[in-house]
Amino acid sequence: MAILMKGKDLSEKLLENIKKEVANLTVKPTIAVIIVGNNPASKVYISKKKKTAENIGMDSIIIEMPEGTIQQELETKIEELNNDKAVNGILVQLPLPKQINEYKILEKILPEKDVDGFHALNVGKLSQGIEPSAVSCTPAGIIEILKEYNIDIEGKHAVIVGRSNIVGKPVSYLLLNRHATVTICHSRTKDLESITKQADILIAAVGKAKFIKEKHIKDNAVVIDVGINRNDQGKLVGDVDFNEVEPKVSHITPVPGGVGPMTIAMLMTNTLRLYKNQREEIK
Ligand code: GUN
């Protein structure tokens, strides 16, 4: 039977440590979160971020902007937050409505307040092996999970299914920086199965429920399931067909309770790091 890599337990441990650290600070770390429009999933994520920040004694500012917001309005709001000394981290929830140029928005956030690590400068640093204070939260959480369960990365073949800017690409850099051999697959990949079957570490970030089956897996692989999909009954299911895959692997993350909770824990970790960097500059 596979070892379940319980991101939820690890996230609680990390958040407890952050909470203790924050309790000793006179000025609280503050994260500002901007949400544009009414994407229901985004709204759920935002309320989780706010609740978690509250639980650990951080301040959060939630800025809700209407679906019809234009580029300039959003950029002006970001500039305001860039200039606000009380704000340590800025997050713009993605996806954005289609009239808004996402790249330009992410470029507007001061790199030192870029709590998601999405600014081109921070992504560029990561790609060159210089890891910035804030790295994209889900990939950072995946690395923490591998560390917690003593999974060696060096020399292993890591196969990532999904090439998004939020997960697939940044996790590929993190793994490469830790000396894995990395393959990124995506929707146009031919004979996916022949590639995923080589994976010592398989990361599924496809966005399709139960997409990864037993036939995709090498015996004793380590499987990380980034998927958060809802099935017909409204239940959360991953990108991996857990029941098929679990008997074959050495380690696997459950959904829910695997990668998801780590994303928020890493967001709080990043906020605290940016806060510390900014306080260091004041001294
Ligand atoms: N949408 C889905 N995941 C993320 C994330 O990690 N950060 C932001 N800003 N938006 C997202």
Side-chain angles (χ1 to χ4, degrees), residues 10-11 14-15 18 115 133-145 147 259-273:
L10 176 57
S11 74
L14 294 175
L15 289 170
I18 300 175
V115 76
S133 296
V135 172
S136 181
C137 299
T138 302
I142 291 170
I143 297 296
E144 288 303 313
I145 290 175
K147 219 190 278 174
V259 174
M262 285 302 293
T263 298
I264 296 206
M266 297 321 292
L267 182 65
M268 300 301 141
T269 304
N270 286 352
T271 306
L272 183 57
R273 274 210 209 109

Side-chain angles (χ1 to χ4, degrees), residues 24 48 55 61 94 108 130 147 149 151 190 203 232 250 252 265 268 270 274 279-280 283:
N24 290 322
K48 276 196 185 148
N55 284 344
I61 303 168
L94 303 178
K108 265 281 160 200
I130 298 162
K147 219 190 278 174
Y149 287 87
I151 310 293
K190 296 210 166 67
I203 300 186
D232 296 340
S250 77
I252 187 167
M268 300 301 141
N270 286 352
L274 296 185
R279 305 298 294 176
E280 213 35 58
K283 273 183 207 161

Side-chain angles (χ1 to χ4, degrees), residues 45 49 91-95 116 118 137-138 166 263:
Y45 295 143
K49 286 165 186 171
L91 178 149
V92 178
Q93 186 66 31
L94 303 178
D116 260 326
F118 289 167
C137 299
T138 302
I166 295 180
T263 298

Side-chain angles (χ1 to χ4, degrees), residues 32 65 83 90 111 124 152 154 190 242 256 269 276:
M65 301 180 79
N83 294 327
I90 303 169
D152 278 337
E154 188 172 332
K190 296 210 166 67
F242 186 91
T269 304
K276 285 182 187 167

Side-chain angles (χ1 to χ4, degrees), residues 87-90 109-115 119 121-122 133-134 270 273-275 277-278 281:
V87 171
N88 307 110
I90 303 169
I109 300 172
L110 272 182
E112 52 270 35
K113 291 193 178 187
D114 171 31
V115 76
H119 190 287
L121 187 77
N122 288 326
S133 296
N270 286 352
R273 274 210 209 109
L274 296 185
Y275 167 92
N277 292 348
Q278 289 158 29
E281 276 168 22

